[in-house]
Amino acid sequence: MTLPCSSRCLNRRRLLLGTVAGWAGMHGQHLSAKDAAVRVGLVPYLSTRTMLNVYEPLRKHLQAHIGRPVEFYTAAGFAALTENARSPSQPFTLLPMHLAYLATTEWGCVLVARSTQESAMHLWAPRGLGALQGTGTALRGRRVAVIDPLSMSTLMFERWRTSVQLDGALSTQVFPGLNSAVMAVSRGDADLVVAAIGQLRDLSGLDPDEFQSVAALGTVLRPAFVAQRDTPAPLVAAFRAALLSFRPAPSGGASSALWAEGSARDFEPYRDMATQARRVLARGLPSR
Amino acid sequence: MDPATMHTPMKSLRNRFLLSTMALVVAVSAATLVAAHRLVSQAMSNEVSQSASRDQVLLSSALAPLVAARNLAEAEDLLRVMVSDGGFVYVEVFDSDGKLWLRAGPASPALSAAPLPAAASAVQRRGADGTFHFAGRLDLDGRDYGSYRFGLSGVAAVQAEQRVLGGLMAIGLLGAMGAVLLQVPMSRWLTRRLEDLADGTRRVAAGEYGLQLPLAGLDGLGRLTASFNDMSSALAQRVSALQASEQRQHQLVDALAEGVVFQDAQDRVLECNAAACSILGLTRGQLLGADSKAPGWHAIRRDGTPFDFSEHPSVVALRTGRPVRDVLMGVHRPEDGLVWVSINSQPLREGGTEATVTSFNDVTGRLQAELALQQANQDLEHRVAERTAELASARDAAEAANLAKTEFLGRMSHELRTPLNAILGFAQVLRMRLKPAPPGVDEQLGYIEAGGWHLLELINDVLDLARIEAGAMVVSLDSIQVAPLLNECARMVDAAAQSAGVVLEVVPAAPTWRVRGDRTRLRQVLVNLLSNACKYNRPGGRVRLEASVVGDRLTLSVADTGIGLSAEQQSRLYEPFNRLGAEAGSVEGTGIGLVITRRLVELMGGRLEARSTVGQGTTFSVHLSLGGEPAPPPAGSTAAALMQGAAPAVRELLYVEDNAANVQLLQEVLALRPALRVRTVGDGAAALRAVLAHQPDLLVIDIALPGMDGCELCRRLRALPGLVGTPMVALSANAMAGDRASGMDAGFDHYFTKPLDVAEFLAWVDRALKEIDA
C-alpha cells in the first residue's frame, strides 16, 4: 500500500526538521548547499528568517549583478561572525562599523562598501510602562534586553549607562537577536530594549509605536561590507559595483541603505567602540 | 408431482444458490473492509506515532538550544515554518514553569486538558478531529528547558483510509458481480442435472424399478447419478425379494389353521387367510372390508349377551395400544350357526398409522366339553352340599344329644350330691360333736360316713365315665414334680394297704423328675391303681410304686404280688363294669375304675400298659411325657386345725342358701366355731340387702339359687366397694368342671362341692378368719 500524499508530507516535514536541527546545531553555517555560490555573512542582530527576508532584495540584486548565486549566511553570534569574516570560505561579510574597523585594520579585510545611512540608537520601553524619559531614578532596577556584547547597540548602551551613572542600577540580559530581545520585553522577561529605530521597523509583526524611547544613545552608520583578504579582486569589485548600484525600495528597511565605497576616515568615530570590542574579544566572552 | 411444479423448486434452489453465493461474497467483502479499515487505521496510527517519535527527537534537538539561548525569534521562526510547511497543525513551547513561551498555529484544543509530561518521555493522544497530539520535554545536556506540544494532522491518514476502503469496496463489488456472472450458468448447469435426477426419482417412485440414468462426468453429480443407478438396481432387487417374501408369507398365513385378519385403524379387515374365512363361514370377498360394526356381524359373549363394538378385541387393542388375549366370542355364521372363537389381537404401528393383527381359533368343541364338565361339577357340588347339610344336621343332633347328656349328668350329679351332703355332713358333725361318743355310736356314725363316701365315689366314677364318654372331661396339663406326688398317693392308700395286710413300697424318685399331666387326675390314676393293687393282692403281699425315665418319657409303675391276670382277662381288662370274676368276691368295686384310669391317662397324652403273670402278680405302667418348668404354685394352704381353730373376735358369716337342710347342716358345722355368727338368706336379692345392712366378714353362697344365681350374686357383691377383698366361697351341688370354672371366674375364692367335706370347709373358715384378724 502506498500513501503518496501522507508519505510526502511526512518526509517533507522530517527533512525540514532535520535541516533546522542541523542548522541550529551548526549555528547557522549555511543556508544553501551550492558550492559555487558566493557566500555572504550578515550581522546576526535579527533572527535568521527576518534577516533573510530583510536582505532578500539585496541578495537578489547582488546575484543578478555578479552573475553568480549569492547566499546569505548569518552566524550564531558576533564572535562567530568575526571568525567567519576572516575565513576564506566567506568572501564577504556585513559588519557593524566598529567591527569593520577592526576587520580592515587588524584582520586584513578590505572595505567593500559602507552604508550611506545612519541609525539612531535608543533605549526603548513599552508604552505601557509609563513615562521614563530622563528619570534615572525610574530606570533603576530595570532589566535591559541587549543583544551580543560585541554589537554596536550593546556597546553604545554600556557607554551611555556609564555616562548616566547607572552601571549598577540597570542590569542587562543578553539575547541572541533583537527579535528575541523585543519578545522578551513583550513577555515581561525584560523591561527595556536597546535598538535602532530602523531595526525595530525591520521586525515583522511589531508595531514600533508600541515602544517609547527612554533615552537616545547616539547615532551610528549602518554596517559595512568587508571582503576577506583572499577574496579575488574581481569578485570584490563586482560585489562593490553591485552594491553601489543597488536602489532599494523606499520601505526596504535595513537593506534599503544606499552604499558607498567608503574610506578609513569613516571608521574614526568608532575607534573607541572598536577598542571595547577588542577587549570583549580578548576576554573571550561569549558572543551570545 | 408434475414437471411444472417440479421446476419451481429447482428455480428456487438456483436462486438460493445465487443468493447464498452473493451473500457470502458480500459478507467476505464486508469482513475484509472492516479488517482492512482496522489495519489501515492501526497502521496509520503506528506510522504517525513512529514518525512523531522521530519528530519529537528532532524538535527537541532544534528547540532546546534556542530556548537555552533565549533565542525566541529563531524559535518562533522555526515553529512557524513547521506549521506552514511541515504538516504540523500547531506547535507550542512552554518554559520550565509551564508558562506558554511560544506558539505557532492555532491554540491547542488540548491546552488545558492534556497534561505536560513531567519527564523527558513523550505523550501522545488522538483528538476527536483526527489530529494527533504530542507533548514532550525540552532537554539539553541533561537540563530541562521546559516542554512542548504539537499536533499532527490526521486528515492525510483519514483520506488514506477512505481511499483504501473505497478501493476495497470496489474490489468487493466487482468480486460479487463476477461471482454472480459465474454462478448463473453454473447453477443452471447444476439444476439441470438435478432435474434429471428428480425425473428419474419420479419414474422409480412410479414403479420403474431398475431405471438407469446416463452418466455425465465424474464430478459430484456424476457420482450422485451413479449412486442413483445403484440405488435403483438395488431397489429393483429388494422389491423383487419383497414380493417373493410377501408371497411366502401369504402362503404361510394361508396354511395356518388359525384364522388371521389384518385390520386398519377403522377396524376394517384389510387382509385375511383362508382359515379365517372358513371359521367365520364367510368368503374372502365378504370378509375383506368388513368391520365389527357390519350389520351382518353378530357376536355374543359366553352368557349370550351381544358384544358391543367398543369391546371387540381389535378395537380394544387399538384403543389401549396393548395386546388383548384369549377373548371368547360367539359368532353367528350366515349358514353354519354359532361358532365359538378364542381371539388374540395385537396392536401394530406401521408408518405412523395404527392397525391390528387378530388371530382366532375355533373353540366350539372345547367350549362344549367345558360346559359339560361345568354341568357335572355343578351337579357334584349340589350333591356335596346336600350331603354336607345332612351331616351338619346329624352333627347338630349329636351335639344336641351330647348337650342333653351333659345336662343330664350335671343334674344327676347335683341331685345325688344334695342328699349325700346332708347324710355325710350331719354324720361328720355328729362324730365331731360326740366326743367322747357313747359306745358304738362313733363306729355307727363311721359306717354312715364310710357308706356315704363310697356312694359318692361310685357317683363320681360313674359321672367321670359319663363325662369321658361324652367328651366333657377336661384336663389341665401342667409340669408336676414326681417324688411328692408318689408320696402323696402312697399316703392316701396307706390305710387301705394296712387294712389289706399289704406292704406298700415307694421307690424314691429323683427330685428333678417332672411329668406333664393334670395333678388331680394323675393322682386319681395312681390312687386307683394303688387301691386295686392293695385290694386284689394276697395277704402279706407287696405293692411297689416307682418311677423311671427313658428318653423323654416317664413311666410310673404300680406292681403287685397278687394272683395275676390271664391273657383272656387281660383282653377284657378295660370293659366297663366287667370285674373279671371279682364280683363273686368280697372286694367291693364297680368295674369302671380301670376304664376311667386308662381314659384319663390318654387324655393326658399318655398310655396305660398292663403286664401280668398268673400267680405272680400284675404291673400297670403309666407312660407320660416328661414335664418342663413348673407353673407358679397356688396360694399355700396349710392344714388348719379343725377343732382347735377359734376366732379371737365375733365375726359374721352370711350363708345364702334356699335349701333348709343345707342351711341347718352349715349352721351345725359352724356351731363348731362359736366366735362365728351365721346369718342366712334364701336368695340373691335378700343377700344384697343383708350385705348392705350388716357388712358380713365371710360369705358362703349356693349356686342354684332362685332368681339370681350364685355366680351373678358373687359378681354384684364383688362390685361393691367394701366387699372386694371379703372371703367369699361357693358351696354347690354343681360339681362339674365347667361349674367350678364358672364360679372361680365370677369371683369366688374357693368352690366347695356337695357333699361337703366338713374338715376341709372348717380349715378354710379358720384360715379366712385368721387372715381377717391379721
Side-chain angles (χ1 to χ4, degrees):
Chain A
M1 185 182 295
T2 58
L3 303 170
C5 179
S6 174
S7 177
R8 230 179 2 246
C9 293
L10 293 172
N11 290 336
R12 188 174 61 187
R13 187 172 68 242
R14 195 169 303 134
L15 176 62
L16 173 63
L17 286 171
T19 303
V20 170
W23 166 47
M26 296 185 300
H27 301 286
Q29 290 191 350
H30 78 278
L31 299 174
S32 175
K34 294 180 179 178
D35 295 332
V38 177
R39 175 173 174 141
V40 179
L42 298 179
V43 184
Y45 68 96
L46 293 175
S47 69
T48 305
R49 187 174 62 87
T50 304
M51 182 73 74
L52 296 178
N53 287 338
V54 168
Y55 287 93
E56 180 64 15
L58 179 60
R59 188 192 69 83
K60 289 180 178 176
H61 173 78
L62 294 174
Q63 185 172 268
H65 279 76
I66 66 176
R68 288 178 58 182
V70 176
E71 293 180 346
F72 281 180
Y73 283 75
T74 182
F78 279 68
L81 180 67
T82 59
E83 292 292 328
N84 293 339
R86 286 178 284 183
S87 171
S89 62
Q90 185 170 292
F92 303 99
T93 302
L94 181 65
L95 291 172
M97 288 303 287
H98 64 294
L99 294 181
Y101 172 73
L102 291 178
T104 56
T105 60
E106 299 179 12
W107 304 337
C109 295
V110 177
L111 175 63
V112 178
R114 65 164 178 88
S115 175
T116 60
Q117 293 178 324
E118 293 181 333
S119 291
M121 202 67 68
H122 290 264
L123 180 62
W124 302 92
R127 291 194 179 277
L129 202 61
L132 299 174
Q133 293 92 338
T135 57
T137 304
L139 294 176
R140 289 184 178 274
R142 298 292 180 179
R143 299 165 295 173
V144 179
V146 298
I147 59 175
D148 199 293
L150 287 174
S151 67
M152 180 75 81
S153 61
T154 302
L155 293 174
M156 288 178 73
F157 167 73
E158 289 179 346
R159 193 168 63 180
W160 172 83
R161 185 174 60 178
T162 302
S163 66
V164 296
Q165 299 178 343
L166 289 175
D167 284 335
L170 285 174
S171 61
T172 58
Q173 292 184 351
V174 179
F175 289 89
L178 185 59
N179 309 62
S180 299
V182 171
M183 291 173 69
V185 173
S186 300
R187 287 164 45 87
D189 295 338
D191 301 313
L192 307 169
V193 62
V194 178
I197 181 67
Q199 292 174 331
L200 288 181
R201 291 195 186 99
D202 287 338
L203 298 180
S204 62
L206 175 68
D207 183 3
D209 292 338
E210 293 179 358
F211 288 83
Q212 59 179 334
S213 175
V214 174
L217 306 183
T219 301
V220 294
L221 283 175
R222 292 188 176 183
F225 275 104
V226 299
Q228 198 267 344
R229 60 183 177 185
D230 297 329
T231 304
L235 181 58
V236 172
F239 198 84
R240 180 178 297 119
L243 283 173
L244 295 179
S245 65
F246 179 62
R247 296 294 179 268
S251 57
S255 66
S256 62
L258 294 175
W259 301 92
E261 291 187 9
S263 64
R265 289 196 307 272
D266 296 332
F267 297 115
E268 286 297 328
Y270 307 101
R271 185 173 296 172
D272 293 341
M273 282 187 284
T275 303
Q276 283 183 270
R278 190 181 297 111
R279 289 196 199 103
V280 172
L281 289 172
R283 287 201 302 266
L285 291 176
S287 62
R288 58 170 300 183
Chain B
M1 185 179 295
D2 68 287
T5 57
M6 178 60 76
H7 285 303
T8 301
M10 288 300 175
K11 288 180 179 177
S12 175
L13 174 63
R14 190 161 60 222
N15 293 336
R16 283 201 297 270
F17 183 67
L18 289 174
L19 288 175
S20 61
T21 303
M22 288 184 66
L24 181 62
V25 171
V26 170
V28 171
S29 299
T32 304
L33 283 175
V34 172
H37 178 265
R38 290 185 176 179
L39 288 174
V40 169
S41 179
Q42 185 64 37
M44 290 303 298
S45 295
N46 293 340
E47 177 65 20
V48 170
S49 178
Q50 293 173 3
S51 173
S53 298
R54 293 189 289 271
D55 291 347
Q56 285 179 301
V57 174
L58 295 175
L59 182 63
S60 180
S61 301
L63 274 177
L66 298 177
V67 173
R70 288 188 289 186
N71 195 345
L72 294 176
E74 292 291 352
E76 185 177 42
D77 289 343
L78 174 61
L79 299 189
R80 285 176 181 169
V81 171
M82 290 169 66
V83 170
S84 60
D85 299 331
F88 289 79
V89 177
Y90 67 92
V91 183
E92 293 170 340
V93 180
F94 301 84
D95 59 20
S96 57
D97 296 331
K99 187 177 177 182
L100 179 65
W101 198 49
L102 286 173
R103 171 188 294 151
S108 164
L111 181 61
S112 58
L116 290 170
S121 61
V123 295
Q124 170 193 352
R125 68 186 184 88
R126 185 171 189 179
D129 58 349
T131 301
F132 295 90
H133 301 277
F134 299 89
R137 302 296 301 183
L138 288 173
D139 190 311
L140 181 64
D141 299 331
R143 183 178 173 185
D144 181 34
Y145 289 96
S147 60
Y148 62 85
R149 284 200 187 108
F150 66 87
L152 295 179
S153 174
V155 174
V158 172
Q159 290 174 347
E161 289 176 18
Q162 290 174 346
R163 280 193 295 275
V164 170
L165 291 178
L168 289 173
M169 289 181 67
I171 292 172
L173 186 59
L174 290 174
M177 293 175 62
V180 170
L181 293 175
L182 183 63
Q183 290 302 321
V184 167
M186 182 176 292
S187 60
R188 285 180 178 170
W189 178 70
L190 286 174
T191 53
R192 188 182 69 248
R193 298 174 68 186
L194 289 174
E195 285 173 1
D196 293 342
L197 279 171
D199 182 65
T201 304
R202 284 195 303 273
R203 291 166 64 186
V204 170
E208 194 175 342
Y209 306 123
L211 173 66
Q212 298 295 302
L213 296 177
L215 294 175
L218 296 176
D219 57 359
L221 282 175
R223 290 195 295 273
L224 181 61
T225 303
S227 299
F228 173 85
N229 291 338
D230 294 342
M231 178 205 70
S232 180
S233 299
L235 184 61
Q237 295 175 359
R238 294 293 296 274
V239 168
S240 176
L242 189 62
Q243 288 172 344
S245 173
E246 187 178 9
Q247 182 66 24
R248 287 194 296 273
Q249 287 184 4
H250 273 294
Q251 292 173 349
L252 177 64
V253 172
D254 274 339
L256 291 175
E258 187 178 31
V260 179
V261 296
F262 183 85
Q263 293 166 280
D264 63 7
Q266 285 71 41
D267 200 42
R268 291 189 298 259
V269 175
L270 301 179
E271 190 54 77
C272 64
N273 65 350
C277 299
S278 173
I279 293 172
L280 297 178
L282 298 171
T283 64
R284 179 176 173 81
Q286 291 172 323
L287 191 52
L288 292 179
D291 59 27
S292 302
K293 290 186 290 189
W297 184 264
H298 298 294
I300 60 172
R301 295 192 187 87
R302 189 164 187 171
D303 59 2
T305 57
F307 246 103
D308 186 73
F309 170 73
S310 62
E311 297 172 339
H312 276 256
S314 57
V315 178
V316 174
L318 274 175
R319 185 174 64 241
T320 63
R322 291 193 293 270
V324 179
R325 303 292 184 202
D326 300 329
V327 175
L328 186 63
M329 178 185 289
V331 180
H332 288 283
R333 293 181 288 193
E335 297 179 357
D336 298 330
L338 182 66
V339 60
W340 287 96
V341 292
S342 175
I343 305 175
N344 296 318
S345 191
Q346 176 75 35
L348 299 175
R349 288 187 182 277
E350 277 197 346
T353 61
E354 296 177 338
T356 56
V357 170
T358 301
S359 60
F360 46 91
N361 285 323
D362 184 353
V363 296
T364 305
R366 191 192 76 190
L367 187 65
Q368 289 173 348
E370 286 179 357
L371 289 174
L373 181 60
Q374 186 177 3
Q375 184 62 43
N377 286 338
Q378 287 177 354
D379 293 344
L380 182 59
E381 288 174 1
H382 181 66
R383 285 198 296 272
V384 168
E386 287 180 347
R387 183 60 179 157
T388 301
E390 290 173 0
L391 291 174
S393 177
R395 183 196 62 205
D396 292 343
E399 288 179 351
N402 198 28
L403 180 61
K405 183 178 179 180
T406 302
E407 291 177 351
F408 169 75
L409 290 172
R411 283 197 301 274
M412 282 298 296
S413 172
H414 182 270
E415 296 305 324
L416 289 173
R417 284 172 182 272
T418 299
L420 271 176
N421 186 43
I423 295 169
L424 285 171
F426 283 114
Q428 293 175 79
V429 171
L430 286 175
R431 292 189 70 183
M432 290 179 182
R433 281 185 173 179
L434 296 178
K435 295 290 184 182
V441 172
D442 185 65
E443 184 180 3
Q444 293 166 359
L445 289 173
Y447 289 144
I448 294 173
E449 188 179 350
W453 289 119
H454 181 67
L455 180 57
L456 179 61
E457 184 180 358
L458 289 175
I459 292 171
N460 287 337
D461 285 347
V462 171
L463 292 178
D464 281 346
L465 181 60
R467 289 192 195 100
I468 291 170
E469 294 298 333
M473 177 65 75
V474 178
V475 294
S476 176
L477 300 180
D478 198 358
S479 180
I480 306 164
Q481 195 172 6
V482 174
L485 177 66
L486 298 185
N487 294 332
E488 181 184 358
C489 293
R491 283 197 302 273
M492 292 177 68
V493 298
D494 186 53
Q498 289 182 9
S499 66
V502 173
V503 176
L504 180 58
E505 179 185 3
V506 179
V507 177
T512 57
W513 286 356
R514 308 185 75 88
V515 68
R516 182 169 176 78
D518 185 304
R519 173 179 292 276
T520 302
R521 297 303 175 187
L522 183 56
R523 183 173 56 200
Q524 181 180 350
V525 167
L526 292 177
V527 167
N528 186 37
L529 293 175
L530 289 170
S531 177
N532 284 347
C534 291
K535 286 194 296 186
Y536 300 108
N537 211 323
R538 56 182 172 81
R542 303 179 67 86
V543 174
R544 180 184 176 89
L545 174 61
E546 64 177 338
S548 62
V549 172
V550 176
D552 60 346
R553 307 288 287 179
L554 183 137
T555 301
L556 299 171
S557 301
V558 177
D560 64 61
T561 55
I563 59 176
L565 296 171
S566 64
E568 191 274 338
Q569 287 175 315
Q570 291 182 38
S571 64
R572 300 170 59 194
L573 193 57
Y574 301 110
E575 291 180 357
F577 305 107
N578 186 349
R579 298 191 63 198
L580 304 177
E583 61 274 16
S586 58
V587 178
E588 295 178 343
T590 60
I592 59 176
L594 273 179
V595 178
I596 294 172
T597 296
R598 189 178 72 166
R599 299 301 299 273
L600 288 176
V601 170
E602 289 172 352
L603 283 174
M604 289 185 285
R607 177 168 56 85
L608 179 62
E609 184 180 64
R611 295 194 307 274
S612 181
T613 304
V614 177
Q616 293 184 0
T618 304
T619 298
F620 285 91
S621 297
V622 177
H623 303 285
L624 293 170
S625 299
L626 285 172
E629 290 299 316
S637 61
T638 56
L642 300 182
M643 301 302 296
Q644 293 78 6
V650 175
R651 301 291 182 181
E652 182 173 300
L653 183 147
L654 178 63
Y655 182 36
V656 186
E657 174 61 80
D658 60 332
N659 185 290
N662 290 337
V663 170
Q664 186 178 359
L665 171 61
L666 197 71
Q667 286 176 336
E668 291 297 331
V669 169
L670 294 177
L672 296 172
R673 295 294 181 266
L676 199 59
R677 186 169 59 244
V678 178
R679 183 184 303 277
T680 61
V681 294
D683 56 35
L688 288 172
R689 289 194 297 273
V691 165
L692 294 175
H694 303 289
Q695 192 72 29
D697 297 303
L698 300 95
L699 289 97
V700 179
I701 302 172
D702 184 24
I703 297 300
L705 293 173
M708 183 190 310
D709 68 6
C711 291
E712 179 61 21
L713 176 59
C714 178
R715 279 190 285 272
R716 293 193 182 188
L717 290 174
R718 286 296 190 199
L720 295 175
L723 294 179
V724 174
T726 302
M728 195 178 304
V729 296
L731 177 56
S732 173
N734 295 339
M736 305 294 280
D739 299 331
R740 184 183 300 272
S742 297
M744 298 305 288
D745 290 342
F748 286 113
D749 295 324
H750 196 80
Y751 195 97
F752 290 102
T753 56
K754 298 170 183 178
L756 180 64
D757 185 332
V758 175
E760 184 183 7
F761 179 74
L762 287 176
W764 172 80
V765 170
D766 293 341
R767 191 166 57 251
L769 291 175
K770 188 176 180 179
E771 291 176 356
I772 292 171
D773 292 337

